[in-house]
Amino acid sequence: MKSLLKNLCIVGFILLNAACQEELLQQLIPPGNRPSSLEDTNKCQAPPIAQNIIGEWKFFTLDAIGRSKTGSLTFNQNQTFTDSDTLFSVSLPEDYEKRIYLKWSVETDEFGEYKPYGEMVWLKLYAKNQSGVTEYVQGNFFQVAINECKRIELIRPNDKFKLVLFK
């Protein structure tokens, strides 16, 4: 019994020593040997979301029950966006043209229920009705959770649907 206790103490000491050395080694890695993603993150200061979002982004989504989707979105300077992977698909009434027009904007709801969320990204879908008039059909609004150079996280406050954009 005494010998078993002694062996356990020795093994414990060896494991503890190895763990401490591993931690010291992690702290002493010179900056030139760090992974480039860490250096890029530290060097890049993201512009405001209205500028940063412009361009092509890959995305993945996550809803409250764990369902996800991937694809790409392109946000244009003229505040339109392209959704080739139909992330924002909508069923239109029969009297509407089947083409959907997609627009994005960054807005703050000064007086309404979304005021506490501050600046938000709004993704709006429009379609032409039978008379040829373009009408608002559906909108999605997202709180900006993270705005980094190569990653933007947007969360829909009402149902916690998460849209993650990355380059």
Side-chain angles (χ1 to χ4, degrees), residues 146-158:
I146 294 175
N147 179 28
E148 296 175 349
C149 293
K150 295 185 178 186
R151 181 182 180 93
I152 297 173
E153 285 191 22
L154 304 171
I155 299 174
R156 203 163 49 197
N158 59 348

Side-chain angles (χ1 to χ4, degrees), residues 14 18 38 44 60 70-71 73 98 100 117 122 156 159-160:
I14 291 170
L38 288 177
C44 180
F60 73 85
T70 60
L73 294 168
K98 295 304 174 202
I100 295 175
Y117 301 110
W122 291 75
R156 203 163 49 197
D159 63 2
K160 302 303 180 200

